[in-house]
């Protein structure tokens, strides 16, 4: 019966092979140029896994005494196109298909996955995951009842999975040409477009059945400028859970190319920073990475449940200057970290972490919420069907204050202004570093010389208490966050802000 | 044993691609099995067990390339991906440097590479769980250890099959096992996270729970009481894992792709003196039992021993077929990255190296991303032990180190004799004349 479904579909898809390359999808576009938002039918029709089979697999997963079982079906197509040395050098289409099966018992997780969706193989995988609980019980699995999504936080109109290659090449070329022609000292440019569409269906032993179709795209340009033996590289990128319209209306490829060119050229005249402690202004352009790394991670529930986060015993306490409010909101539309539903089937909520300096909440997944006896808030995410979900950020925001960026810079006599970053890292004890790609010296209340080779270093406690002024010019930084070996698409937004003191590393 | 069906799948897909219009095609299939257990506070917290397969290919139509990959190995999906790729390739640009490598014969006995150990497959889940628990138990019995983030034990076995339209067809299998623990010490707000882990192709070479626990305890407790120091320029001693970190940055500077794109400060410096006489750096994919050992790279090019820097002179880059053609050189069998990339051992013991420092930093950890291949600039968060009068005096944290790789290669003063082939990038303890330590 299962294979009938599959063969039946394949016959249909075989007939459409000749239809060309505009789509590798298994759905047709809707009349308005968007795609269907429910993928349950995809797994049933295309891969032959009907809800009644899912229920049987869940029963097998619980057959050794587990308390909770869950299936995570994923079908993802990732496309990329890259331009380098004035030509389109490479394009790829990558298909990822599989199911992850999780069994929970107390604090324990059993996990297995397979890329073969035959009933027999899923059954074996379920038994492997089941083995975390060594016992026997008559499994109680509720009948699966499909929950339909009530909100839509992605722009599924003209998604990139449906855009033909020549249109993508035009966007890439526009960014490339803008970077190349920005200045005659630009010697090398790269530009690429990466898009994906991820179909997810989640079923669990409590009877939940929910699906989500998630688009994601990012257009990137990098440019290297060279002058008198000095070389520097600048970057520009933009994207999110958006369609083609984004690059026509919001952020044109030419702007992305110019950002890369401008950064590379500016760095040619850059100096090294003053090393040591000094006032530091974090510009709004990309400093969201600081909010994500230094502030966000210790509020993820797993570290607090395990008491490894410094905040595990500080709920309700003042942990920051009272002007500081920080939250994570996966429901902001169309951002890189936006989610209709998390990877455990929970509908996400805007979740306050710090309100007026006071610790008020953690980012929860199912396991931590249950063990901490707190409410889930839709922050259980995973890299793919090969990974168990863990608490993660999505769109993290430092709320705006009442200063202006000009007030902030004016207030610094001698200090450092951080504008773009190569990355940041924080360990569980709260120590972090950020590598600044481009910054500026602040002298007598003005940005003066561009700066390269700077590192910001400190601890999260220190930074939360050193935030002295917050402006109102919020911008979002696009990132890919790594935790426990899993990556996740995120954004973080912040206005320009001032830290009273922070250590800046550089050469003497 | 190797699965002939997957070899045939690869070969058949090459034929299909040729038939559909690809001038050249290469197919790789990977099959793997993983097991891992995480233990925290002596309870099994997570157990993962899975098998998976994946196929990837690239094809060329008149010098235009397209690639694809899939974990869905159904014939229908794979053939559709090939058809899509041929259509995409046609819309790409012709590139005279692209294409498969020339056929080279493999002169290696795969079974003698020492990268497959049946003992790893035979190890029972119970023994793996016991090893993780034991490692953590020893750590927790030390009162200075405040918390455990958990101990883990993992095993992996996998087979790679590669076939291309130039007539290459080959496969090899390998195993790996790993064990580690991560700990926290100190008192709020001065907490320190550190740990130790070991991995090996062969079970017998894996460090025991006792050895791992001992190293992890040492690493996390030696940081207790760390302070900042004044900003200053001092000699820096790199503990061997830190030398490996420096080498992985060097790899990005001698990797052919960054070189032809002029994104490396070592571009155009072949046969120039870029380091001092103590610096000899080699990539050797044929060291028996080492982490990066394999018979051929991701394009089916046999791996070999390549001297990259010999007594300070830049002799070669590490290249795949494409970047080699761009640079008018020959592939070094590095399309999958570094094989076993290392700084050749010197004669000093790590203790002698520390003794030689009047005042400086013994670097034991870094965080952050601040390394730029284009310029060689380095700027990272750091911690370690301060050296005074040749002795390890006190721990330091929340500092930064900065310098430039071009300078560092010339400023290597001493090279240790403690080289081990545990990771695919590795090096001994070294001392460099000067870096800037940023602190107070």
């Amino acid at each position: 019966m299962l294979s009938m479904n599959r063969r039946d579909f394949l016959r249909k898809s075989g007939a459409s092979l000749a239809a060309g390359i505009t789509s590798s999808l298994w759905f047709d576009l809707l009349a308005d140029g968007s795609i269907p938002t429910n993928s349950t039918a995809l797994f049933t029709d295309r891969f032959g896994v009907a809800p009644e089979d899912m229920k049987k697999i869940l029963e097998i997963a619980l057959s050794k005494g587990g308390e909770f079982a869950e299936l995570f079906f994923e079908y993802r197509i990732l496309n990329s196109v890259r331009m380098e040395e004035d030509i389109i050098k490479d394009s790829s289409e990558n298909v990822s298909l599989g199911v992850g099966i999780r069994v929970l018992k107390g604090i324990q997780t059993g996990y297995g996955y397979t890329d073969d969706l035959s009933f027999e193989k899923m059954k074996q995988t379920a038994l492997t995951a089941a083995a975390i609980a060594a016992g026997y019980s008559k499994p109680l699995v509720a009948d699966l009842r499909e929950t339909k999504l009530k909100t839509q936080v992605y722009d599924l109109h003209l998604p990139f999975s449906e855009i033909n290659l020549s249109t993508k090449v035009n966007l890439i070329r526009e960014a490339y040409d803008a970077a190349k022609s920005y200045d005659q000292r630009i010697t090398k440019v790269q530009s690429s477009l990466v898009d994906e569409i991820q179909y997810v269906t989640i079923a669990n032993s409590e009877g939940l059945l929910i699906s989500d179709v998630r688009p994601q795209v990012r257009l990137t340009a990098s440019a290297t400028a060279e002058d008198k033996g000095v070389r520097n590289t600048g970057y520009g990128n933009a994207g999110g859970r958006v369609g083609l319209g984004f690059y026509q209306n919001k952020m044109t490829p030419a702007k992305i190319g110019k950002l890369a060119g401008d950064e590379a050229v500016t760095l040619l005249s850059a100096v090294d920073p003053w090393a040591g402690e000094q006032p530091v202004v974090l510009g709004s352009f990309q400093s969201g990475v600081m909010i994500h790394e230094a502030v966000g991670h210790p509020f993820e529930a797993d570290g607090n449940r395990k008491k490894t986060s410094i905040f595990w015993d500080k709920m309700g306490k003042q942990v920051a200057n009272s002007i500081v409010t920080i939250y994570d909101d996966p429901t902001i539309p169309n951002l890189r970290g936006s989610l209709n539903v998390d990877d455990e089937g929970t509908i996400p909520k805007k979740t306050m972490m710090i309100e007026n300096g006071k610790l008020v909440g953690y980012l929860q997944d199912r396991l931590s919420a249950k063990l901490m006896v707190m409410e889930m808030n839709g922050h259980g995410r995973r890299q793919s069907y090969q990974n168990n979900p863990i608490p993660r950020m999505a769109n993290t925001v430092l709320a705006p204050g009442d200063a202006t960026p000009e007030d902030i810079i004016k207030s610094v006599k001698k200090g450092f202004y951080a504008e773009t970053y190569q990355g940041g890292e924080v360990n569980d004890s709260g120590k972090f570093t950020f590598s600044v790609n481009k910054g500026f010296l602040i002298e007598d209340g003005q940005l003066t010389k561009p700066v390269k080779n700077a590192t910001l270093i400190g601890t999260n406690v220190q930074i939360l208490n050193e935030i002295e002024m917050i402006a109102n010019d919020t911008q979002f930084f696009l990132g890919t966050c790594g935790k426990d070996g899993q990556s996740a698409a995120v954004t973080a937004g912040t206005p320009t802000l001032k830290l009273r003191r922070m250590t800046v590393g550089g050469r003497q | 044993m190797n699965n002939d069906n997957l070899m045939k799948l690869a070969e058949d897909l090459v034929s299909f691609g040729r038939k559909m219009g690809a001038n050249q095609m290469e197919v790789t299939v990977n099959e793997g099995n993983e097991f891992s257990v995480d233990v925290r506070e002596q309870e099994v917290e997570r157990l993962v067990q899975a098998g998976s397969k994946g196929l990837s290919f690239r094809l060329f139509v008149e010098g235009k390339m397209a690639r694809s990959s899939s974990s869905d190995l159904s014939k229908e999906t794979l053939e559709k991906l090939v058809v899509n790729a041929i259509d995409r390739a046609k819309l790409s640009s012709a590139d005279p440097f692209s294409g498969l490598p020339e056929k080279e014969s493999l002169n290696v006995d795969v079974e003698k590479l020492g990268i497959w150990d049946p003992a790893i497959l035979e190890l029972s889940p119970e023994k793996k769980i016991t090893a993780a628990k034991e490692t953590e138990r020893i750590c927790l019995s030390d009162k200075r250890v405040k918390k455990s983030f958990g101990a883990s034990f993992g095993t992996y076995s996998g087979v790679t099959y590669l076939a291309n339209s130039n007539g290459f067809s080959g496969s090899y299998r390998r195993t790996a096992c790993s064990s580690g623990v991560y700990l926290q010490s100190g008192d709020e707000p001065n907490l320190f996270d550190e740990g130790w882990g070991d991995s090996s192709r062969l079970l017998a070479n894996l460090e025991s729970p006792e050895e791992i626990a001992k190293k992890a305890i040492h690493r996390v407790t030696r940081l207790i009481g760390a302070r900042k120091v004044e900003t200053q320029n001092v000699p820096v001693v790199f503990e061997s894992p830190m030398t490996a970190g420096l080498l992985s940055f060097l790899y990005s500077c001698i990797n052919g792709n960054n070189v032809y794109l002029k994104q490396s400060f070592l571009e155009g410096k072949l046969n120039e003196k870029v380091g001092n006489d103590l610096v000899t750096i080699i990539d050797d994919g044929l060291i028996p039992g080492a982490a990066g050992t394999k018979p051929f790279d991701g394009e089916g090019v046999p791996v070999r021993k390549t001297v990259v820097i010999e007594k300070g002179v830049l002799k070669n880059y590490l290249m795949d077929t494409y970047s080699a053609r761009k640079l008018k050189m020959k592939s070094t069998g590095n399309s999958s990255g570094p094989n076993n990339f290392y700084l050749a051992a010197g004669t000093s013991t790590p203790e002698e190296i520390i003794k030689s420092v009047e005042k400086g930093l013994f670097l034991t950890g870094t965080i952050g991303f601040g390394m730029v291949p284009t310029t060689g600039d380095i700027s990272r968060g750091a911690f370690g032990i301060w050296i005074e009068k040749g002795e390890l005096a006190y721990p330091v944290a929340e500092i930064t180190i900065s310098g430039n790789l071009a300078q560092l290669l010339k400023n290597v003063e001493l090279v240790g004799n403690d080289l081990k082939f545990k990771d695919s990038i590795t090096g001994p303890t070294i001392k460099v004349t000067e870096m800037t330590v940023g602190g107070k």
Side-chain angles (χ1 to χ4, degrees):
Chain A
M1 187 184 72
L2 297 172
S3 56
M4 280 274 286
N5 276 340
R6 189 174 167 110
R7 267 203 305 275
D8 191 41
F9 177 84
L10 291 173
R11 211 173 303 126
K12 278 187 264 167
S13 80
S16 69
L17 258 185
I21 58 156
T22 50
S23 169
S24 53
L25 284 187
W26 312 99
F27 285 136
D28 292 325
L29 274 184
L30 300 176
D32 69 348
S34 63
I35 54 174
T37 56
N38 189 322
S39 62
T40 311
L42 174 81
F43 289 101
T44 306
D45 299 343
R46 160 80 172 113
F47 300 111
V49 188
E52 40 292 10
D53 303 316
M54 296 181 190
K55 189 181 173 195
K56 282 182 204 152
I57 300 293
L58 287 167
E59 283 169 348
I60 294 165
L62 288 187
S63 63
K64 292 187 182 166
E67 291 158 0
F68 171 85
E70 171 196 76
L71 313 179
F72 177 84
F73 291 90
E74 182 186 29
Y75 183 65
R76 185 198 297 245
I77 301 163
L78 187 140
N79 296 293
S80 76
V81 190
R82 179 168 57 97
M83 183 167 179
E84 199 176 86
E85 297 188 304
D86 303 337
I87 59 173
I88 298 295
K89 265 200 188 169
D90 191 4
S91 74
S92 72
E93 178 182 20
N94 306 284
V95 173
S96 164
L97 166 71
V99 60
I101 303 181
R102 174 167 73 142
V103 175
L104 297 179
K105 181 167 191 182
I107 67 153
Q108 302 188 304
T109 299
Y111 201 80
Y113 60 85
T114 175
D115 40 42
D116 182 343
L117 299 190
S118 68
F119 189 82
E120 207 36 52
K121 201 73 204 216
M122 288 197 292
K123 184 178 156 184
Q124 264 178 37
T125 307
L127 282 170
T128 309
I132 192 77
Y136 171 79
S137 64
K138 184 150 174 56
L140 284 175
V141 175
D143 283 334
L144 296 180
R145 295 183 51 178
E146 183 153 18
T147 306
K148 300 268 191 261
L149 295 174
K150 291 194 185 67
T151 52
Q152 177 56 260
V153 298
Y154 322 133
D155 181 359
L156 283 168
H157 187 74
L158 297 177
F160 272 84
S161 55
E162 299 298 311
I163 302 297
N164 63 36
L165 185 63
S166 50
T167 305
K168 292 183 189 177
V169 167
N170 288 340
L171 296 175
I172 292 168
R173 196 176 289 280
E174 190 185 331
Y176 189 96
D177 291 345
K180 194 83 190 267
S181 61
Y182 181 80
D183 190 290
Q184 41 186 341
R185 288 168 291 178
I186 303 281
T187 52
K188 289 271 175 184
V189 175
Q190 284 187 51
S191 172
S192 64
L193 185 94
V194 177
D195 68 84
E196 68 169 50
I197 189 99
Q198 183 196 25
Y199 300 85
V200 161
T201 292
I202 300 154
N204 73 28
S205 54
E206 293 172 356
L208 179 82
L209 175 62
I210 195 163
S211 287
D212 198 16
V213 179
R214 302 165 179 166
Q216 184 77 268
V217 61
R218 185 174 191 166
L219 177 60
T220 306
S222 74
T224 300
E226 191 172 346
D227 192 25
K228 301 182 192 95
V230 180
R231 274 180 207 153
N232 287 292
T233 303
Y235 306 89
N237 76 89
R241 299 201 187 270
V242 294
L244 182 61
F246 177 82
Y247 295 106
Q248 293 162 337
N249 313 318
K250 293 255 172 72
M251 187 68 177
T252 61
K255 268 194 216 164
I256 296 169
K258 275 183 197 149
L259 280 175
D262 181 65
E263 187 172 5
V265 169
T266 304
L267 287 173
L268 287 175
S269 58
V271 297
D272 286 332
W274 298 310
E277 280 192 4
Q278 56 197 291
V280 170
V281 175
L282 303 179
S284 63
F285 183 50
Q286 284 188 359
S287 299
V289 67
M290 195 286 284
I291 301 308
H292 173 97
E293 292 291 346
V295 183
H297 280 295
F299 293 93
E300 290 165 339
D302 46 354
N304 290 287
R305 167 169 67 83
K306 298 175 186 178
K307 304 183 180 175
T308 51
S309 163
I310 47 153
F311 293 125
W312 74 271
D313 58 350
K314 300 203 171 53
M315 185 61 93
K317 300 212 169 107
Q318 199 77 22
V319 295
N321 184 328
S322 64
I323 61 172
V324 177
T325 290
I326 294 169
Y327 58 89
D328 190 278
D329 188 0
T331 72
I332 303 171
N334 307 339
L335 294 182
R336 186 169 159 80
S338 303
L339 287 172
N340 286 328
V341 58
D342 77 359
D343 294 329
E344 303 179 302
T346 308
I347 306 294
K349 287 183 193 145
K350 173 176 173 178
T351 305
M352 301 302 287
M353 299 183 284
I354 299 181
E355 211 162 0
N356 303 321
K358 202 177 279 182
L359 171 54
V360 293
Y362 301 130
L363 303 180
Q364 293 285 358
D365 67 351
R366 172 177 287 273
L367 179 64
S368 287
K370 177 160 186 265
L371 295 170
M372 295 171 90
V373 200
M374 295 176 88
E375 257 184 60
M376 294 192 284
N377 47 38
H379 287 86
R381 302 182 65 186
R382 52 181 131 201
Q383 178 175 301
S384 78
Y385 68 91
Q386 300 190 352
N387 306 93
N388 61 296
I390 50 176
R392 300 298 290 259
M393 284 172 269
N395 305 316
T396 312
V397 181
L398 174 74
D402 48 18
T404 66
E406 296 74 31
D407 295 339
I408 290 180
I409 293 164
K410 238 179 242 163
S411 75
V412 179
K413 188 151 169 46
K414 188 181 173 198
F416 178 69
Y417 179 92
E419 185 171 273
T420 68
Y421 299 82
Q422 293 159 14
E425 189 178 341
V426 65
N427 63 22
D428 285 74
S429 305
K431 295 183 183 67
F432 65 76
T433 65
F434 300 97
S435 302
V436 178
N437 199 44
K438 183 176 84 172
F440 289 91
L441 298 179
I442 309 178
E443 294 174 280
D444 294 323
Q446 297 210 322
L447 300 187
T448 58
K449 294 187 183 101
V451 170
K452 60 178 177 178
N453 302 327
T455 301
L456 301 177
I457 185 159
T459 68
N460 45 24
V461 174
Q462 176 198 350
I463 212 163
L464 285 170
N465 289 298
E466 300 283 345
I467 294 179
E468 198 176 59
M469 292 174 84
I470 302 176
N472 50 9
D473 56 334
T474 305
Q475 296 192 62
F476 284 88
F477 162 79
L478 273 59
T480 300
C481 167
K483 174 181 169 185
D484 296 355
Q486 298 192 41
S487 66
V490 298
T491 58
T494 181
T496 299
L497 63 98
K498 178 185 174 188
L499 300 162
R500 203 179 56 84
R501 292 193 83 70
M502 192 171 183
T503 301
V504 178
R507 276 180 291 170
Q508 257 178 343
Chain B
M1 270 315 286
N2 296 9
N3 182 337
D4 293 338
N5 290 334
L6 292 179
M7 193 73 245
K8 186 163 184 312
L9 178 74
E11 289 164 356
D12 288 352
L13 201 63
V14 169
S15 306
F16 178 78
R18 294 276 290 129
K19 200 175 77 192
M20 297 308 284
N23 305 111
Q24 290 190 318
M25 182 157 173
E26 167 195 279
V27 176
T28 307
V29 184
N30 278 298
E31 184 184 25
N33 287 291
E34 65 157 309
F35 175 98
S36 72
V37 58
D38 299 339
V39 165
R40 192 174 62 88
E41 289 170 356
Q42 293 298 290
E43 278 199 81
V44 173
E45 193 168 59
R46 188 179 66 145
L47 201 70
V48 180
Q49 199 166 359
S52 60
K53 295 188 194 77
L55 179 145
S56 60
F57 67 80
R58 53 181 184 148
L59 55 77
F60 302 87
V61 182
E62 286 152 12
K64 304 169 179 180
M65 182 180 69
R67 292 182 299 137
S68 202
S69 72
S70 180
S71 74
D72 177 1
L73 300 197
S74 67
K75 189 164 179 263
E76 294 76 8
T77 294
L78 295 178
E79 293 188 349
K80 183 165 197 282
L81 289 173
V82 170
V83 172
N84 285 353
I86 288 172
D87 285 338
R88 279 202 320 281
K90 287 177 183 161
L91 280 172
S92 233
S93 324
D95 184 343
F97 301 96
S98 75
L100 297 180
E102 312 304 323
K103 196 179 175 189
E104 268 185 84
S105 55
L106 278 179
N107 296 318
V108 168
D109 182 350
V110 176
E111 298 303 318
K112 285 195 179 135
L113 291 176
I115 55 175
W116 175 261
D117 183 6
I120 288 177
L121 307 184
E122 286 154 18
L123 195 65
S124 70
E126 291 71 27
K127 284 202 171 138
K128 299 174 196 179
I129 294 169
T130 307
K133 280 190 177 170
E134 179 62 5
T135 308
E136 195 200 38
R137 191 193 60 75
I138 299 169
C139 295
L140 290 172
S141 69
D142 190 306
K143 291 284 173 292
R144 298 167 300 171
V145 172
K146 291 289 160 67
K147 267 167 208 157
S148 158
F149 291 91
S152 54
F153 194 99
T155 56
Y156 171 83
S157 67
V159 193
T160 295
Y161 306 86
L162 197 154
N164 74 24
S165 58
N166 278 358
F168 182 90
S169 186
S171 71
Y172 66 95
R173 54 187 188 169
R174 68 255 177 227
T175 49
C177 53
S178 63
S179 177
V181 62
Y182 208 64
L183 307 168
Q184 190 172 75
S185 71
D187 291 298
E188 264 188 62
N190 296 307
L191 298 170
F192 302 95
D193 305 340
E194 257 288 7
W196 182 250
D198 187 42
S199 63
S200 174
R201 296 255 166 238
L202 311 173
L203 188 60
N205 289 355
L206 189 71
E207 289 177 3
S208 68
E210 292 74 20
E211 288 170 279
I212 291 166
K214 195 176 152 199
K215 286 186 187 171
I217 293 167
H218 173 65
R219 292 178 68 84
V220 75
T221 55
R222 69 181 171 180
L223 296 172
I224 295 172
R227 41 183 136 145
K228 280 193 185 182
V229 285
E230 300 288 330
T231 298
Q232 56 194 293
N233 290 344
V234 286
V236 175
V237 176
F238 287 64
E239 195 174 37
S240 91
M242 297 293 101
T243 306
L246 201 62
L247 287 170
S248 81
F249 178 40
L250 177 68
Y251 174 77
S252 66
C253 305
I254 51 99
N255 161 0
N257 288 303
N258 277 338
V259 173
Y260 87 74
L261 286 169
K262 299 187 195 289
Q263 283 170 356
S264 165
F265 75 97
L266 288 171
E267 181 261 327
K269 301 256 167 76
L270 273 185
N271 297 315
E272 285 181 28
K273 187 99 172 159
V274 299
N276 69 20
D277 291 350
L278 291 172
V279 179
T280 291
I281 292 170
I282 291 166
D283 181 71
D284 184 353
L286 297 172
I287 299 170
T293 296
K294 53 183 86 68
F296 54 84
D297 74 357
E299 298 180 298
V301 174
V303 301
R304 59 205 71 196
K305 179 173 177 176
T306 307
V307 178
V308 178
I309 297 179
E310 188 172 19
K311 296 189 173 161
V313 178
L314 182 63
K315 288 288 187 188
N316 214 337
Y317 299 117
L318 295 180
M319 293 162 289
D320 59 6
T321 300
Y322 182 79
S323 62
R325 285 182 188 148
K326 294 290 279 191
L327 294 165
K328 299 191 177 64
M329 295 171 73
K330 239 174 104 39
S331 169
T332 51
N334 286 96
S335 83
S336 324
N339 294 309
N340 297 297
F341 183 59
Y342 64 96
L343 172 67
T347 53
S348 314
T349 66
E351 296 72 28
E352 285 164 0
I353 294 178
I354 289 165
K355 270 226 148 48
S356 75
V357 177
E358 181 59 25
K359 183 175 82 162
L361 174 68
F362 179 48
L363 180 70
T364 64
T366 57
I367 52 173
F369 294 89
M371 304 203 282
V372 188
T374 313
T375 57
D377 288 331
I378 298 172
S379 175
R380 314 193 77 192
F383 45 93
I385 318 280
W386 199 249
I387 308 174
E388 272 175 5
K389 299 195 171 76
E391 301 285 337
L392 295 175
Y394 53 86
V396 288
E398 281 179 58
I399 54 171
T400 59
I401 50 161
S402 52
N404 181 283
L405 186 56
Q407 249 89 60
L408 291 185
L409 289 172
K410 288 174 182 149
N411 286 347
V412 173
E413 270 180 25
L414 291 169
V415 178
N417 60 3
D418 53 334
L419 178 68
K420 284 182 183 162
F421 289 100
K422 284 292 189 180
D423 298 298
S424 60
I425 298 183
T426 182
T429 303
I430 58 168
K431 175 188 174 189
V432 298
T433 314
E434 185 177 271
M435 291 183 85
T436 300
V437 173
K440 284 190 273 202

